[in-house]
Structure formats: C-alpha cells, structure tokens
Amino acid sequence: MGNRFPARDRFADGAQFIDGRLRPGTSGRTHAVVDPATGDELLTYEMAGAADVDAAVAAALAAYPGWAGATPGERSDALRRFAAVLAERATEFAEAESLQCGKPIKLSTEFDVPGTIDNAAFFAGAARHLEGASAGEYSGDHTSYLRREPIGVVGSIAPWNYPLQMAAWKILPAVAAGNTIVLKPSELTPFTSLMFAQAAQEAGIPDGVINIVNGAGAEAGERLVGHPDVVMTSFTGSTAVGKRVAEIATATVKRLHLELGGKAPFLVFDDADLDAAVQGAVAGSLINTGQDCTAATRAYVQRPLYDAFVSAVAALMETVRLGDPFAPSTDMGPLISHAHRDRVAGIVDRARGYARVVTGGTAPDGAGLADGAYYRPTLVVDAAQDSEIVQSEIFGPVLVVLPFDSDDEGVRLANDTPYGLAASVWSRDVYRTGRATREIKAGCVWVNDHIPIISEMPHGGYKSSGYGKDMSAYSFEEYTQVKHVMYDNTAVARKDWHRTIFGDRL
C-alpha cells in the first residue's frame, strides 16, 4: 500500500472516538474496510453496539453545558483553529478519502478536502452571527426579543459517498451553534470522520463535543436516532432508509433533518451552448463515479439538439480514463463496492430490454482494473419516462438522455420523479431559464452549470429528497431553538386584559 495511508497503525486503538479517545467497539462484531480499487482489506475493526452509542451520547451530554455556555467568539476561535489544522493535514485527508472511497486523488485534493476546509472557515465566522429579529415594542406595552439557543445533543448519520464532507456538513453547524454531537458515518468509510474528530481535538475543541461511532445502521444507527438524550437527528442517505429514520425519530418527538435521494434533471433547451452542455453533462453525471445525490442523471434535450448531444456525450465519455485512484491521470475510480457495482450493472442490464446502451454498460477488464469495483461511463437512450432507469436513483456513472419538444414538456418531464434535490437548466435565454428555475421543484437549480456548491448557500431538497438544509447560515435553523422573551414595560399590576378573565374594565 506504500505511503497511501497507514490505516492499521492509525486506528490500532479502535474505530470509535468517544470523549476524546479512540476505543474498540463492543458489539462483538467486526467489519473489514475494503479498498474498492483493489479488493484489498485495509482495516478490520470492532463495530459499535448500543453500549458504545450510549457512552458517546453520555460524553456529549456531559460536554454540552460547557460548550453551549462558551461565547460565540470562543466557539468561533476554536473552529478557526480547526480549519487551520485541516489545512495543515490536507494531503493526509485526501489520501485517506481516496483510499477508502476509491475516488480519484485529484477529486479528493481539489474538491473534497478544500471544500471541507472552506466549510470549517465559514462556520468559524458564522458562529458569531446567530441572527434574529431586532428587539422592539411590538405590542406597545412590552419589549420583545429573540434568543437563538443550542438545542442539545445531536445524533447524526452520514453516508459513504463523501465521508469527509458529510462529516463536516453534520458536525460544523451543530457545534458552531453550541451543540454537541455523536456522528455515525457509514461503516464502509470510517477513516476521515475519525481523523476529522481528532483534528478538532487538536484544535482545542473540548473532549465530548464531537464523538464518532462506527457501526451498523440497524444497531448503532437506530440506537442513536432513538436515544432519549438525543434531541435532533440529521440523516443523509437513501429515501428508503430516511423513512425508517423518521419513524424512529417521531416516536421520541425529535427534531429531524433529512437529505435523501436525488434524480437530478439536466434540461437542455434548443438555444443552449451545445459544447458547454455536453461538457457539463459528462462532468455532472460522472463526478465521484456518479455516486452523488445531485449528479446529472436524466438529460432532457430539446429535439433540434438531441442527436448532436447524444453523439458528443458518447464520444466524450469514451475518453474518460479509469484507473488507480492515486494516479494523477485517473479521471474516474471504482464504485464503493463490488455489491454496489453489481446493483448498478443490474439496472443497466434490465434497461437493455426497453432502451439502448450507446456506450459503456460493462465492467472493464483491463490490467489493474479487473479486481476493483469499476464500471464504465454509460449512456442510455430510448427509455420511456416511466421506466426504472429514468425514475430510480442509480448512484453510478449512468446518464439517460430523452428528447422533448416544447418548453412546457421539458419542465414537466424535469419534475416527473418523486425526487427534488437538484437540477440544471441550459439556455442562453434569460426568460427561459428564469421560468425553469421558478417551476422546477428542486432545492438547487443551476443555470448553465451542474454540481458546484458553496459554503454560503444552503443544500437540501423538495419532495422525497427530504427537508432541511445543510451548509450556510440557514443550517442554524436546524440546530438552534428560537425563544421569544417578552418584558412588560408598564409596571401596572392590573392589566386591562385581565378583565377577560375576571372583573370589569377599570
């Protein structure tokens, strides 16, 4: 494994980070982390059970009064130091992320890690700007003001596709607002979440503020969501699992934030810059090997551009270089596992019965790739709107292209799935794009681009893609409680309104 990442040495003490130290899990079960590019085992660790979740929640609960009582400036300073530690260790984080996920090192280096550092820097500033309505005499006889307070212990669950960024998206707004947190990453990708918590400790964030438990969803995850001392759950993952999380959270009346599946439309009008749309479609559909809930998955192309778009996308996809994630020239790495690769392949293979695969649709058998969970960039056409490959989240490097005629039809088709996380619109006409951005039901709509995210703007969905926001100052709506405080200004003992309860007007 060379200098990629010494996982066994780094986590020799265990893969649970509770109250400031690594420790083994106590479930009695182990899990092997596998390099999806080679099939090699990287680390076998003891998984968390209910007792480990309880210990992590207890640590977070004990740390809460001190952290919640810190001033916004003190929390801001700690997060600023945290961002600096992350920047110092950027290379190590990128290597660990590429190793456990199989993503190209250039993606980890230029997207995942810098985005996480920027997110930490953003929330360092945002910690000092918890805003509310200004104080005022809204009733005439009273002064009202708002307090924005932390809510307590947060129990969050993150997915395997962007482990580092998802750890940041869950942890940073929670702790910036004064909460403490227990995060359960995917058991498939534990490394960078643990490193993230260790870096926070080095930056001076107190023990117990950030805790990480690595275990199975059915045991550790459900215990975390249902724990009586956890007051909020933030979950990112599939819509099916999100429904189960909601059931458990509802039973204990928890606050709930869900960022679920997506099936992003890529709407190309006939006056679009064709080359820009082709470049955007390939990049937007293949980022992170298509394992992105905002990835471009359904391209709707107005008929005058349809044939040229399909031809150009196929040609560009065939130039994408699959290979070792640590090779600087590699464009696309493997899927997260062989099981997931087989799931993606199964959807494409079933589509052959009703659609046409233009390019891709197979696992490569070239030297150095046969042992990994690789799948070629895949373009599918001639599918019906109601088919599985158009309606279901594939989470792989697969783009389906369908034609449309009128603008009305294009917008209607874009909205015609249960999901509403992201979309993009391609046109030179500001009125066309304006209409589409208003009418497409998605939490983010890009115009003449697809995928970019920024810390200052919120991320979250409509419909079956969930509710609530990650990133931006809007995320504080998830992690704070708004309290109305009202002072009487009259010093009058007998208020006029009392007569509605007893007595007559004085």
Side-chain angles (χ1 to χ4, degrees):
M1 196 160 50
N3 63 352
R4 289 188 175 190
F5 182 68
R8 292 181 179 85
D9 295 338
R10 184 65 181 263
F11 302 118
D13 293 332
Q16 319 300 326
F17 187 82
I18 299 172
D19 203 16
R21 68 180 183 89
L22 289 172
R23 52 188 259 185
T26 61
S27 70
R29 287 174 294 283
T30 60
H31 181 80
V33 181
V34 174
D35 179 351
T38 63
D40 294 338
E41 182 182 312
L42 302 171
L43 175 75
T44 296
Y45 66 89
E46 296 86 358
M47 298 177 77
D52 303 299
V53 173
D54 291 348
V57 172
L61 191 63
Y64 174 72
W67 185 246
T71 66
E74 289 168 338
R75 292 197 294 268
S76 176
D77 287 346
L79 289 171
R80 179 179 48 78
R81 294 192 302 269
F82 187 15
V85 172
L86 293 173
E88 290 170 2
R89 297 185 177 174
T91 298
E92 184 181 5
F93 273 99
E95 291 173 349
E97 195 76 338
S98 285
L99 184 65
Q100 66 181 352
C101 299
K103 63 182 66 187
I105 191 67
K106 65 180 180 180
L107 181 65
S108 296
T109 301
E110 298 178 27
F111 183 74
D112 298 68
V113 173
T116 301
I117 295 168
D118 183 74
N119 219 229
F122 170 81
F123 279 107
R128 304 182 83 137
H129 298 283
L130 292 173
E131 296 179 351
S134 60
E137 287 69 51
Y138 299 101
S139 77
D141 291 336
H142 306 82
T143 295
S144 288
Y145 71 89
L146 294 179
R147 289 179 55 85
R148 189 178 286 274
E149 300 176 346
I151 57 176
V153 176
V154 177
S156 293
I157 299 176
W160 47 256
N161 57 333
Y162 291 101
L164 177 59
Q165 287 201 358
M166 292 297 100
W169 287 17
K170 300 303 182 195
I171 291 170
L172 291 170
V175 301
N179 303 288
T180 56
I181 188 168
V182 179
L183 174 71
K184 193 199 88 65
S186 167
E187 63 271 23
L188 302 177
T189 53
F191 297 157
T192 48
S193 299
L194 292 167
M195 293 167 59
F196 192 77
Q198 290 173 313
Q201 181 185 48
E202 183 175 328
I205 294 176
D207 293 349
V209 171
I210 300 172
N211 305 274
I212 310 292
V213 291
N214 281 292
E219 183 174 5
E222 294 201 2
R223 175 61 179 168
L224 181 60
V225 175
H227 199 289
D229 291 328
V230 169
V231 298
M232 177 198 163
T233 290
S234 177
F235 170 81
T236 296
S238 72
T239 298
V241 177
K243 291 178 180 178
R244 174 60 180 157
V245 169
E247 290 174 0
I248 299 169
T250 300
T252 51
V253 199
K254 283 181 171 50
R255 185 178 294 193
L256 185 60
H257 164 220
L258 297 174
E259 199 264 87
L260 306 177
K263 191 71 178 175
F266 188 99
L267 186 60
V268 183
F269 291 108
D270 57 13
D271 66 333
D273 181 325
L274 179 61
D275 184 53
V278 168
Q279 301 289 324
V282 175
S285 63
L286 300 185
I287 185 171
N288 202 35
T289 318
Q291 299 167 128
D292 187 310
C293 50
T294 63
T297 60
R298 300 177 289 137
Y300 297 101
V301 184
Q302 207 152 22
R303 208 168 293 274
L305 294 184
Y306 178 78
D307 289 339
F309 180 88
V310 169
S311 177
V313 166
L316 186 54
M317 278 187 169
E318 288 167 3
T319 70
V320 172
R321 299 164 296 184
L322 279 64
D324 177 2
F326 284 82
S329 62
T330 292
D331 297 321
M332 198 174 88
L335 291 157
I336 188 64
S337 68
H338 288 80
H340 185 57
R341 194 263 313 272
D342 293 345
R343 176 189 170 276
V344 170
I347 295 173
V348 174
D349 288 344
R350 289 191 293 276
R352 297 180 197 275
Y354 56 79
R356 178 167 63 94
V357 176
V358 178
T359 188
T362 61
D365 55 7
L369 301 180
D371 293 333
Y374 290 90
Y375 196 74
R376 292 173 59 207
T378 300
L379 178 64
V380 177
V381 298
D382 300 337
Q385 175 67 16
D386 62 356
S387 62
E388 177 191 30
I389 203 163
V390 175
Q391 292 292 323
S392 298
E393 187 173 33
I394 302 172
F395 228 55
V398 180
L399 176 65
V400 184
V401 185
L402 300 90
F404 70 94
D405 292 302
S406 69
D407 289 17
D408 288 347
E409 182 188 17
V411 172
R412 178 181 62 78
L413 291 171
N415 282 327
D416 185 27
T417 71
Y419 301 105
L421 187 58
S424 64
V425 179
W426 299 75
S427 171
R428 293 182 173 96
D429 186 328
V430 66
Y431 297 103
R432 266 180 152 173
T433 58
R435 177 210 174 173
T437 59
R438 290 191 301 273
E439 295 186 8
I440 290 176
K441 305 303 181 186
C444 175
V445 182
W446 293 284
V447 178
N448 295 323
D449 206 348
H450 194 108
I451 284 297
I453 54 174
I454 50 175
S455 296
E456 290 83 358
M457 289 291 115
H459 178 86
Y462 285 32
K463 303 190 292 185
S464 291
S465 291
Y467 46 82
K469 299 300 179 184
D470 286 311
M471 297 201 301
S472 83
Y474 292 98
S475 64
F476 286 134
E477 301 298 329
E478 318 300 328
Y479 297 101
T480 57
Q481 188 74 265
V482 175
K483 177 186 289 183
H484 172 211
V485 179
M486 195 174 197
Y487 279 88
D488 170 60
N489 292 329
T490 67
V492 174
R494 297 184 179 183
K495 305 287 194 296
D496 186 55
W497 72 266
H498 291 175
R499 70 182 179 81
T500 62
I501 313 301
F502 55 85
D504 298 320
R505 185 185 296 275
L506 299 177

